[in-house]
Amino acid sequence: MVKAIVGANWGDEGKGKVTDLLAQQSDVVIRFQGGANAGHTIINDYGRFALHILPSGIFYPHVTNVIGNGVALDIGKLVDELAQVEAQGVPAPRLIVSDRAQLLMPYHILQDSYEEARLGGRAFGSTKSGIAPFYSDKYAKTGIQVCDLFDEPRLRSRLTAAVELKNVLFEHLYHQPRVDAEALTEQLLSLRERIRPFVGDTVSFIHQALKDGKTVLLEGQLGSMKDPDLGIFPMTTSSHTLAGYGCVGAGVPPAAIEDVICVTKAYSSCVGSQTEPFVSEVTGQAGDELRRRGGDRGEFGATTGRPRRVGWFDTVATKYGCMVQGATQAALTCLDVLGYLDEIPVCTGYEIDGTVTDTFPTTPALLRARPVFTNLPGWKQNIRGCSDYDALPANAKAYVDFLERHIGTPITMVSTGPKREEMTRRTSKL
Ligand code: GDP
């Protein structure tokens, strides 16, 4: 059976921690979309890791980790990350890289930076990892698949054609140096040797694993709000962040996905540009304090280090985020972070043009939305590390009950710290 672990919000919900925990009882963990543009923070017996491209199952010798065909594969970054985790004492993981995955090229990264610079104040706040140009090229059919690396004449001719187009843009739109297709081919051929042992037919592997009754985890990157179709377009990413996309990006059969675990934080955070709509944002001193106390080291991007915008829990966005994921259950992380507050505001409605709604709107209306808050009493207690849900303070449990009622998805896990064992199990009241 397939379980998906996906984000209900803007990303950084703590999916890495939940995947690392559930991987214990799983056989396969698959990344099915996105690239190295976001980081999953995992803290376990080996230390602290910010995984960008490797699946979060790499810490278990019994788990096979798969980089699915839907991923934007930066081979250089993959090779570096493998070396990094091995240097931190993790045994060489079992890994299969899809032969159909496409390669994120150095020219995608350049194009991303050039375009953000050209846009200036209108920039999207991209991480400049090349993700948007990569997916554009995939759908324009000028992308290069991993399998192309093993057919040199084909690689050369496809790369020459792709670079021809890039050079027109680079020279005439961005006034930047041309890319040398020949040098790039040589570089790819040498990197090819580093990934050769891992390349395989992941689709057949996964189908066989399912036939054998194995448990497969799909590990999502970012969250519902960043989906290009159902998110806050155009402040979205360029691949689908929804569990449903696992059927394409990993090749799992739709009917095999039995469980969709939506991860959401006890407050909100959002990376990206300041122009991005973020209705429940808290700014000023209160925002600085929440940012400083958030996550395991404050709310700062795992990939970029940039400060994340923070806000109170948003039930309008999260209810929608769980709906579009098809959530069967929700995991609430970072409840421990809120223990310093007398009162905790929760955004339970959006006021748009004088009317209050709890239905998540399209972007133009979202940009006009004002938050409607309900204040709940805090618990003023340090609950970090608590692993027994019943032992939590009454106000902390009332807070979780309130969120569950508003998002309409059973909250079955409540996390009380960044470490693997800092987790409680809860019986839903829905
Ligand atoms: P992901 O991309 O969804 O995996 O999330 P990130 O790793 O970017 O961000 C989640 C942050 O919260 C990381 O710093 C985690 O170590 C941290 N974290 C996860 N769960 C908890 C929790 O329950 N409490 C606290 N304090 N931090 C947590």
Side-chain angles (χ1 to χ4, degrees):
M1 73 117 121
V2 179
K3 292 183 192 188
I5 299 164
V6 285
N9 307 105
W10 299 265
D12 307 314
E13 297 94 346
K15 297 174 294 294
K17 170 178 166 164
V18 176
T19 311
D20 174 59
L21 182 70
L22 298 188
Q24 231 155 0
Q25 283 101 35
S26 307
D27 305 291
V28 183
V29 177
I30 314 177
R31 284 278 316 265
F32 62 95
Q33 42 89 214
N37 52 327
H40 294 189
T41 312
I42 296 174
I43 302 171
N44 56 27
D45 295 344
Y46 293 108
R48 183 182 194 276
F49 299 84
L51 298 182
H52 300 289
I53 188 84
L54 284 170
S56 298
I58 57 153
F59 302 101
Y60 299 102
H62 71 275
V63 171
T64 303
N65 295 277
V66 172
I67 295 187
N69 51 278
V71 168
L73 179 64
D74 182 329
I75 322 184
K77 288 214 172 109
L78 172 64
V79 166
D80 289 349
E81 200 163 285
L82 270 171
Q84 175 64 36
V85 295
E86 285 175 31
Q88 282 183 258
V90 180
R94 281 202 223 182
L95 177 70
I96 314 181
V97 175
S98 168
D99 48 9
R100 292 177 186 274
Q102 298 201 7
L103 299 175
L104 189 132
M105 298 290 186
Y107 54 70
H108 290 133
I109 298 174
L110 291 172
Q111 188 179 344
D112 206 350
S113 325
Y114 297 160
E115 179 60 11
E116 286 282 290
R118 188 185 74 86
L119 288 171
R122 293 171 294 141
F124 286 100
S126 157
T127 57
K128 303 191 183 80
S129 322
I131 300 296
F134 167 90
Y135 283 104
S136 309
D137 283 0
K138 178 169 177 170
Y139 293 106
K141 296 171 286 192
T142 55
I144 312 282
Q145 289 184 304
V146 166
C147 53
D148 296 333
L149 290 173
F150 301 93
D151 181 333
E152 280 184 43
R154 181 178 162 83
L155 175 67
R156 267 177 220 285
S157 90
R158 289 195 56 79
L159 205 54
T160 306
V163 164
E164 222 168 71
L165 267 175
K166 293 297 167 202
N167 280 340
V168 174
L169 275 180
F170 286 11
E171 246 190 310
H172 300 291
L173 180 62
Y174 300 123
H175 310 293
Q176 295 288 346
R178 293 168 63 85
V179 174
D180 179 348
E182 194 46 42
L184 183 56
T185 309
E186 291 311 315
Q187 191 187 337
L188 287 173
L189 289 175
S190 113
L191 279 169
R192 170 184 78 179
E193 297 315 312
R194 309 282 298 275
I195 65 155
R196 188 190 282 274
F198 305 114
V199 174
D201 171 2
T202 55
V203 176
S204 300
F205 171 82
I206 293 162
H207 279 256
Q208 189 57 48
L210 290 173
K211 268 200 196 112
D212 296 342
K214 307 275 193 205
T215 300
V216 172
L217 292 188
L218 292 175
E219 179 179 19
Q221 185 222 30
L222 297 170
S224 303
M225 300 296 138
K226 295 286 174 178
D227 185 78
D229 273 68
L230 300 183
I232 53 174
F233 187 81
M235 298 306 192
T236 43
T237 191
S238 304
S239 71
H240 295 285
T241 56
L242 303 180
Y245 187 69
C247 303
V248 179
V252 301
I257 305 180
E258 292 179 24
D259 206 359
V260 177
I261 302 162
C262 241
V263 186
T264 183
K265 256 190 315 216
Y267 53 92
S268 302
S269 73
C270 156
V271 279
S273 84
Q274 283 299 321
T275 55
E276 184 163 328
F278 185 32
V279 179
S280 68
E281 180 164 24
V282 27
T283 53
Q285 244 178 15
D288 288 343
E289 173 143 38
L290 182 55
R291 183 177 307 104
R292 187 168 55 74
R293 291 175 178 270
D296 80 308
R297 289 187 179 172
E299 290 291 349
F300 298 92
T303 305
T304 56
R306 48 184 184 184
R308 294 174 182 152
R309 294 165 71 194
V310 290
W312 303 119
F313 192 92
D314 180 338
T315 65
V316 182
T318 311
K319 182 174 74 160
Y320 176 80
C322 287
M323 177 178 80
V324 296
Q325 291 286 10
T328 53
Q329 47 178 319
L332 185 73
T333 63
C334 296
L335 188 66
D336 54 295
V337 169
L338 302 180
Y340 69 103
L341 292 157
D342 293 322
E343 269 201 331
I344 310 174
V346 176
C347 174
T348 48
Y350 290 176
E351 190 192 318
I352 303 168
D353 306 332
T355 307
V356 175
T357 179
D358 66 356
T359 301
F360 192 75
T362 51
T363 307
L366 183 64
L367 286 163
R368 300 197 301 277
R370 299 277 162 268
V372 177
F373 288 114
T374 306
N375 285 326
L376 299 192
W379 46 91
K380 298 288 280 182
Q381 212 172 308
N382 182 5
I383 59 164
R384 174 70 77 95
C386 177
S387 57
D388 173 10
Y389 186 79
D390 293 332
L392 289 174
N395 283 352
K397 287 188 279 194
Y399 182 77
V400 179
D401 291 349
F402 182 88
L403 300 189
E404 180 180 73
R405 269 199 313 280
H406 279 79
I407 66 173
T409 298
I411 298 178
T412 55
M413 283 179 257
V414 177
S415 173
T416 57
K419 297 199 185 119
R420 193 184 273 172
E421 61 283 359
E422 295 173 328
M423 180 65 94
T424 68
R425 305 282 172 163
R426 171 178 182 274
T427 308
S428 163
K429 295 193 173 163
L430 292 182

